Amino acid sequence: MIVLITGASHTGKTMLAQKLLEKYKYPYLSIDHLKMGLIRSGNAELTPMDDAKLTEYLWPIVREMIKTAIENKQNLIIEGCYIPFDWRIGFDKEYLENIKYYCLVMSEGYIRNHFTDIKKYANVIENRLDDEGCTMDSVLADNAKIHDLALRYKVNYILIEDKYEINVDL
């Protein structure tokens, strides 16, 4: 089983991946780690701020890693914001049957009522070296954009509205 977890920044993708790792013992790959390895090694002439270009660059690599894991009957959790909404393209039916996809989205009300908590828990799994760009306005805009895309592409999304509680059973 392959589990894809995506969503806007600060929605808890890495935390959900960690919880699933602990519950199911599936390893997980942070696409952010792959991104930084490629950038820091000089193997990609991109910066951490090149989101669209990073998706174009990273997704074909990640997609083929997914196929390899499925072919080898291996479980894997992959999390990050570089999973395109048309992610199904490039997978035949037998691959798709082995993939679960979750997109995390926070509602406007949740963000407005819990922004302090969103900032407080930003480093619960990984240390963010610079989180100054995380403002209420940026979180609102990112989540509105992700929600619109999730609806447009008809992907499975989890809307966080009242309290932050995500339960995913595989």
Side-chain angles (χ1 to χ4, degrees), residues 5-157:
I5 303 169
T6 192
S9 181
H10 292 78
T11 53
K13 298 178 296 291
T14 306
M15 169 114 85
L16 178 56
Q18 181 70 34
K19 284 183 177 183
L20 292 173
L21 173 144
E22 292 169 7
K23 182 175 181 179
Y24 294 102
K25 309 298 186 230
Y26 291 5
Y28 82 83
L29 168 71
S30 167
I31 301 176
D32 280 343
H33 291 174
L34 178 60
K35 166 189 79 174
M36 292 310 297
L38 289 164
I39 290 171
R40 287 180 171 178
S41 69
N43 285 308
E45 294 183 20
L46 299 166
T47 72
M49 307 316 274
D50 293 328
D51 284 343
K53 289 179 184 175
L54 282 163
T55 300
E56 288 176 27
Y57 186 84
L58 294 169
W59 180 245
I61 297 165
V62 173
R63 183 187 62 229
E64 297 309 312
M65 291 171 67
I66 291 167
K67 289 178 183 178
T68 302
I70 291 170
E71 290 161 0
N72 287 293
K73 297 179 178 24
Q74 296 170 315
N75 300 312
L76 182 60
I77 301 161
I78 299 175
E79 65 87 10
C81 60
Y82 304 106
I83 301 171
F85 284 90
D86 62 354
W87 67 271
R88 288 180 175 94
I89 295 172
F91 290 108
D92 292 333
K93 183 181 177 193
E94 63 269 12
Y95 291 111
L96 291 171
E97 292 170 350
N98 291 284
I99 302 172
K100 290 194 175 202
Y101 172 97
Y102 301 96
C103 180
L104 305 182
V105 181
M106 294 177 178
S107 71
E108 179 180 347
Y110 181 86
I111 295 165
R112 292 191 184 282
N113 292 326
H114 299 279
F115 185 71
T116 304
D117 290 332
I118 293 167
K119 290 285 283 187
K120 181 174 142 185
Y121 292 110
N123 292 315
V124 73
I125 301 294
E126 297 177 328
N127 277 336
R128 294 174 187 265
L129 298 178
D130 179 12
D131 206 28
E132 293 299 315
C134 178
T135 64
M136 185 178 296
D137 287 340
S138 70
V139 173
L140 285 166
D142 287 349
N143 278 272
K145 176 183 171 188
I146 296 298
H147 189 237
D148 288 346
L149 288 167
L151 291 171
R152 184 178 329 148
Y153 284 91
K154 298 180 172 109
V155 297
N156 183 34
Y157 70 94

